Amino acid sequence: MPTTRLRIAVREFVDFENALAEEIEIYRKQHPEVEFEAVPLDLHKLHGEMFEKNGLRNGTWDIGYISTDWLAEAVDEYAVEELASYMKQKPVADWPQGWARSIVEPLIFGDKLYTLPWHDGPECLIYRKDLFEDRGEQERFRNQYGYELKPPSTWKQFSDMARFFTRPAENLYGTLFAAFPDGHNTLYDFALQLWSRGGEFEDKDGKAVLDTPEATAALDFYRNTIRDTSMCYPGAADFDSTRSGDVVLSGAIAMMVNWFGFAARCDRPGSPLQGKIAIAPIPADEGKPPASLSVFWTLGIGTGSKNKQAAYDFIHFLTQPEMDLGIVKHGTVGVRLSTWRNADVQKQIPAYARIEEISLGARRLPRSRNLPAFAEILNDVAMEALKTEEPSAAILARGQQRIDVQRIAFR
């Protein structure tokens, strides 16, 4: 009979849920005394349960799925356990050298560690290589646009190719953005648009800034592309990242900027796109370097948990190489270097051959407990841009006023 019950607040996503369910099943065969209640929650509810409702501090949740966006908030609010004493007693094999620097560094606060990584997947350009490598498509594109069809390196090329591949009668569209207002997709997409134009979210003193020429150009491109049915899949404002990934998996999208994990999903056995997907760097403005974004999921132990040792033992179990490798078949992205470099994984899912390169070069959002407040403002900015005709500069100026009133800074 079970004597310990662990409650886990999980990011609602079928790939996560299936991977965790299998991990729990394997663990319970070795530890029948532990039972689990894993509750899938969408992003707003997940954050709300763990932080607004203090679920990690009051013992409601023993383990929480914590995005790296939320780590500073979790640490500042003493919501998650510091892991030094647990890891001293029961070390995690190969930590930290068994993980990429880009996975380890965001988790370290001073010399303290509070969570362990579970799922990675930096942003990249995902494209249908069967379309881009088709000689007939290449010839038609060259005749129409005067240059070669290959993964776009600039946003101008991206727009040309998105228009070229949009063929509603064939249920094919050039691109799709996940613009659902959940405070995440808009933040991530806007960050990439801003960085790839040479802009930043903060000034030299760490103050949050939105009213810049680069931000105006970024918002113009974002809103114009999403609203242009000659380029973008219709209804993008209602799509979150997981739903947009499902549309890609259906074969209806020629290319999109999204998380690496969606490229991996396309190469799973039985996928209609198996062998047809490739990844490339995200486009940038002419003369600007490409930018990628690293946001990933970690597991932390609630400071109010009455089962902290059992929670750590389970998280420790999930860090083992065979467990990290095992989640790949569900579309979840392993975090160990051994998984990324595994020859069988790279053979089955060729995109894994590039994840280390992309992850190491990916940028991170400002690590600050003020990031959620900034994300809320940016979310409103994006929604206003998509629903009105008001100039982007005016919308951003109002966003900046809110930033100034709330005195949002990242340092």
Side-chain angles (χ1 to χ4, degrees):
M1 290 288 293
T3 58
T4 302
R5 187 166 182 258
L6 294 177
R7 298 194 78 230
I8 307 176
V10 186
R11 163 56 161 122
E12 183 181 59
F13 178 36
V14 64
D15 290 0
F16 282 17
E17 295 167 45
N18 290 341
L20 179 62
E22 181 179 78
E23 291 176 321
I24 288 173
E25 182 181 1
I26 295 170
Y27 186 80
R28 288 214 66 210
K29 289 178 180 178
Q30 302 175 27
H31 301 274
E33 73 282 3
V34 181
E35 65 177 356
F36 294 83
E37 181 185 3
V39 181
L41 301 163
D42 68 29
L43 284 170
H44 274 303
K45 290 180 180 178
L46 180 61
H47 186 274
E49 281 284 335
M50 294 192 297
F51 298 106
E52 283 87 354
K53 294 183 178 180
N54 294 316
L56 291 170
R57 290 195 295 172
N58 65 24
T60 301
W61 303 105
D62 299 291
I63 297 171
Y65 273 58
I66 300 174
S67 163
T68 47
D69 287 357
W70 304 338
L71 276 178
E73 184 179 9
V75 171
D76 284 355
E77 294 188 359
Y78 302 100
V80 285
E81 285 282 291
E82 205 275 315
L83 298 179
S85 61
Y86 298 93
M87 294 182 72
K88 183 177 181 181
Q89 175 195 11
K90 192 174 185 179
V92 171
D94 308 320
W95 181 266
Q97 65 272 14
W99 286 256
R101 172 176 45 81
S102 54
I103 297 292
V104 175
E105 287 181 353
L107 308 186
I108 306 298
F109 288 74
D111 60 352
K112 297 183 183 299
L113 175 71
Y114 294 86
T115 64
L116 287 168
W118 186 76
H119 162 88
D120 188 34
E123 294 245 26
C124 54
L125 180 73
I126 303 169
Y127 68 96
R128 289 271 305 272
K129 67 177 183 179
D130 60 320
L131 295 177
F132 275 77
E133 295 175 1
D134 181 274
R135 291 187 179 181
E137 300 284 11
Q138 291 173 346
E139 182 178 357
R140 284 189 289 273
F141 183 85
R142 188 186 311 113
N143 291 339
Q144 187 171 344
Y145 290 93
Y147 63 96
E148 298 301 318
L149 177 63
K150 58 184 179 181
S153 60
T154 69
W155 290 117
K156 172 64 170 62
Q157 293 173 356
F158 180 92
S159 296
D160 286 347
M161 293 171 193
R163 286 193 176 91
F164 174 74
F165 281 118
T166 296
R167 304 161 190 174
E170 302 174 24
N171 192 33
L172 179 65
Y173 295 83
T175 193
L176 171 61
F177 283 88
F180 183 75
D182 63 5
H184 291 264
N185 300 310
T186 48
L187 172 65
Y188 304 149
D189 282 337
F190 191 81
L192 292 168
Q193 291 295 327
L194 182 67
W195 292 338
S196 64
R197 289 170 169 80
E200 297 292 341
F201 277 134
E202 57 186 308
D203 64 17
K204 59 182 177 59
D205 298 316
K207 176 189 171 184
V209 290
L210 273 181
D211 57 346
T212 64
E214 294 86 359
T216 300
L219 188 59
D220 278 343
F221 181 88
Y222 183 68
R223 73 194 299 196
N224 292 340
T225 301
I226 289 172
R227 292 159 62 165
D228 190 340
T229 55
S230 73
M231 287 194 285
C232 188
Y233 192 90
D238 297 323
F239 284 75
D240 62 10
S241 61
T242 58
R243 189 177 171 199
S244 70
D246 291 339
V247 176
V248 171
L249 191 62
S250 76
I253 305 299
M255 61 179 178
M256 75 180 303
V257 174
N258 211 323
W259 303 105
F260 171 88
F262 292 113
R265 288 183 86 195
C266 292
D267 268 319
R268 286 188 298 185
S271 164
L273 293 181
Q274 190 172 18
K276 298 179 180 180
I277 287 291
I279 63 175
I282 294 169
D285 257 9
E286 192 78 45
K288 303 293 183 183
S292 179
L293 170 66
S294 176
V295 174
F296 56 95
W297 287 95
T298 71
L299 297 176
I301 302 167
T303 51
S305 171
K306 295 180 174 60
N307 304 295
K308 293 176 183 176
Q309 186 60 55
Y312 175 75
D313 289 344
F314 179 63
I315 293 175
H316 179 279
F317 174 77
L318 301 187
T319 68
Q320 297 178 71
E322 61 271 24
M323 300 306 299
D324 191 70
L325 181 63
I327 64 176
V328 168
K329 63 178 173 288
H330 295 289
T332 306
V333 181
V335 289
R336 277 181 170 266
L337 288 170
S338 59
T339 297
W340 295 358
R341 296 169 179 174
N342 184 281
D344 290 336
V345 169
Q346 291 189 9
K347 181 178 179 181
Q348 178 185 331
I349 307 172
Y352 266 92
R354 300 198 66 181
I355 186 173
E356 189 171 349
E357 166 199 350
I358 292 173
S359 181
L360 286 171
R363 294 189 58 174
R364 302 194 293 268
L365 293 166
R367 192 170 73 169
S368 168
R369 67 169 299 140
N370 292 327
L371 185 62
F374 177 79
E376 181 179 352
I377 292 172
L378 185 54
N379 193 64
D380 292 345
V381 163
M383 291 307 98
E384 193 171 352
L386 292 176
K387 293 178 180 178
T388 75
E389 301 299 328
E390 190 165 6
S392 295
I395 297 172
L396 289 164
R398 277 200 302 278
Q400 188 65 51
Q401 289 175 354
R402 291 174 61 185
I403 287 171
D404 295 342
V405 168
Q406 296 181 39
R407 298 182 179 180
I408 297 175
F410 299 129
R411 282 182 275 156

